[in-house]
Amino acid sequence: MTPKLIVLIGPTGVGKTELSLSLAEFLHTPIINADSRQLFRHLPIGTAAPTEAQQKRIKHYFVGTLGLTDYYSAAQYETDVLTLLQQLHATQPYALLTGGSMMYIDAVCKGIDDIPTVDNETRRLMLERYEETGLEQLCKELKLLDPDYYAIVDHKNPKRVIHALEICYMTGKPYSSFRTSQPKPRPFDILKIGLRREREELYARINRRVDQMIEDGLVEEARSVINYRHTNALNTVGYKEIFNYIDGTWTLDTAVEKIKQNTRIYSRKQMTWFRRDESIHWFHPDESDQIKKLIESDALR
């Protein structure tokens, strides 16, 4: 039997965590996390990381493994997960990957283009340029150096713009010239299972989850890491809004509503990304029996 990777995906708040635990028990396999923010330590509330009890119930990989200042990329994640999968598949037929970080999931399933690793000096200089000149100026530079990538990149995403410029300046070639988007062969079969809910249902769950995060101590968690607010780990929904509250820019009510709004926006972006993939089998999270039957029937092919 060819080893299989079960990939459980879906937008934030849809209900991946609880179902992943059930599937892991069904498959007798650990869980490989594919949420880029859950890799960082000290952020369990704002990233909705698996609880201590859940991690005792099922072994999890790539949860709380990085410090807030550690540099990590989708390319490194691809390498690390493929190494782990080789070890897991040596003794068991199934492995389970779950999360909502689109780039990380694609890195494992399709592979990352062989883009040069940015050296520390270039990264530092580009960060200084961003802080001094702002994102708009960097976008103008990207338009000149790589008009093809400029045409498709999110101009409001500093991480994407800065990384493209890092490659341009470091190699003297357009960032887009390194992007081939050709899927790499994998030594295992992949079965993708997507979870979705009606928009109103999903939004209500998101709103309730944000309220629960506040009750669980998100403000206190944000205060404990505010000295690292400049890091990529904290450039994310939940912390940015609470930092504005701590700074006195917003009231807590405003910050909470902004978290809910921005999380809903992010969930729409996730679904837009996932809908491009016709290989995903879609289910409501309550349809766990149907999902398990799909896995069993796929094993017979």
Side-chain angles (χ1 to χ4, degrees), residues 10-27:
T12 183
V14 75
K16 296 185 295 295
T17 299
E18 190 57 41
L19 183 57
S20 70
L21 294 167
S22 175
L23 287 181
E25 289 172 335
F26 172 69
L27 297 169

Side-chain angles (χ1 to χ4, degrees), residues 36-178:
S36 62
R37 290 300 181 262
Q38 290 181 5
L39 270 77
F40 292 98
R41 292 188 290 274
H42 311 303
L43 309 176
I45 299 173
T47 64
T51 64
E52 184 177 339
Q54 290 169 334
Q55 294 190 57
K56 286 182 178 178
R57 177 178 165 187
I58 296 292
K59 181 174 178 58
H60 286 67
Y61 289 95
F62 302 103
V63 174
T65 55
L66 298 176
L68 294 179
T69 59
D70 289 345
Y71 175 75
Y72 201 71
S73 65
Q76 185 61 52
Y77 180 77
E78 175 191 4
T79 299
D80 292 345
V81 172
L82 290 181
T83 299
L84 173 62
L85 287 174
Q86 185 177 25
Q87 298 169 359
L88 294 178
H89 281 149
T91 59
Q92 55 199 70
Y94 289 103
L96 176 61
L97 177 83
T98 184
S101 295
M102 298 85 79
M103 289 284 290
Y104 277 39
I105 292 163
D106 277 357
V108 174
C109 296
K110 300 178 182 179
I112 291 289
D113 293 325
D114 294 323
I115 297 173
T117 300
V118 179
D119 61 71
N120 292 332
E121 181 66 12
T122 300
R123 186 174 296 116
R124 182 184 64 80
L125 290 173
M126 285 308 306
L127 182 59
E128 289 179 359
R129 291 283 315 287
Y130 169 57
E131 293 173 346
E132 292 171 0
T133 67
L135 184 58
E136 184 177 355
Q137 177 58 35
L138 295 188
C139 284
K140 292 178 180 178
E141 293 180 25
L142 182 61
K143 187 176 182 179
L144 291 173
L145 295 172
D146 191 350
D148 289 340
Y149 187 65
Y150 173 84
I152 62 173
V153 71
D154 179 358
H155 299 159
K156 295 182 180 179
N157 188 323
K159 181 181 178 181
R160 299 275 186 267
V161 173
I162 291 171
H163 182 60
L165 283 174
E166 288 171 343
I167 298 299
C168 290
Y169 284 121
M170 192 180 75
T171 67
K173 300 178 181 178
Y175 175 63
S176 58
S177 68
F178 294 95

Side-chain angles (χ1 to χ4, degrees), residues 241 249-259:
E241 296 85 353
T249 305
W250 290 345
T251 65
L252 181 57
D253 286 344
T254 298
V256 170
E257 287 306 311
K258 287 290 186 181
I259 295 173

